[in-house]
């Protein structure tokens, strides 16, 4: 029985998947916590930068700049 090109392609993909070594990073709980903290800091930085671009209040601008400096310091660690 003849097979169509679709089934050969699927079969080929399955074989390729089986032949590739599984490279999955195993993280410790400390590494996962560090990654979550970094992601949170990056998201906060993006939010503050957006607010800083939109604010018209000088007092609010100074507050946001201080918060941004703090986040950049934390990200640098």
């Amino acid at each position: 029985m003849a097979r169509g090109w679709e089934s050969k392609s699927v079969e080929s993909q399955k074989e390729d998947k089986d032949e590739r070594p599984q490279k999955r990073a195993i993280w410790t709980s400390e590494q996962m916590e560090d990654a979550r903290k970094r992601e949170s800091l990056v998201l906060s930085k993006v939010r503050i930068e957006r607010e800083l671009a939109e604010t018209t209040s000088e007092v609010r601008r100074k507050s946001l700049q201080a918060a941004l400096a703090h986040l950049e310091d934390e990200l640098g660690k």
Side-chain angles (χ1 to χ4, degrees), residues 3-19:
R3 296 188 311 190
W5 64 271
E6 294 96 355
S7 61
K8 289 181 182 178
S9 176
V10 170
E11 183 178 311
S12 174
Q13 290 174 5
K14 285 182 181 178
E15 288 174 2
D16 289 346
K17 182 181 175 190
D18 293 339
E19 291 174 4

Side-chain angles (χ1 to χ4, degrees), residues 39-75:
E39 182 180 8
S40 176
L41 290 170
V42 168
L43 291 173
S44 293
K45 182 180 175 193
V46 168
R47 179 184 56 81
I48 288 174
E49 287 173 336
R50 184 174 42 235
E51 287 182 28
L52 191 56
E54 294 172 355
T55 191
T56 57
S57 168
E58 192 58 36
V59 174
R60 177 77 173 139
R61 180 175 303 282
K62 286 181 182 180
S63 174
L64 289 170
Q65 287 171 337
L68 187 59
H70 173 72
L71 287 173
E72 288 173 348
D73 183 50
E74 286 293 313
L75 284 168

Side-chain angles (χ1 to χ4, degrees), residues 11-41:
E11 183 178 311
S12 174
Q13 290 174 5
K14 285 182 181 178
E15 288 174 2
D16 289 346
K17 182 181 175 190
D18 293 339
E19 291 174 4
R20 281 184 276 164
Q22 297 295 325
K23 294 182 182 179
R24 203 170 165 178
I26 300 174
W27 289 14
T28 64
S29 59
E30 183 177 305
Q31 289 172 322
M32 288 176 20
E33 181 63 32
D34 288 345
R36 271 182 269 196
K37 182 177 179 182
R38 179 165 179 74
E39 182 180 8
S40 176
L41 290 170

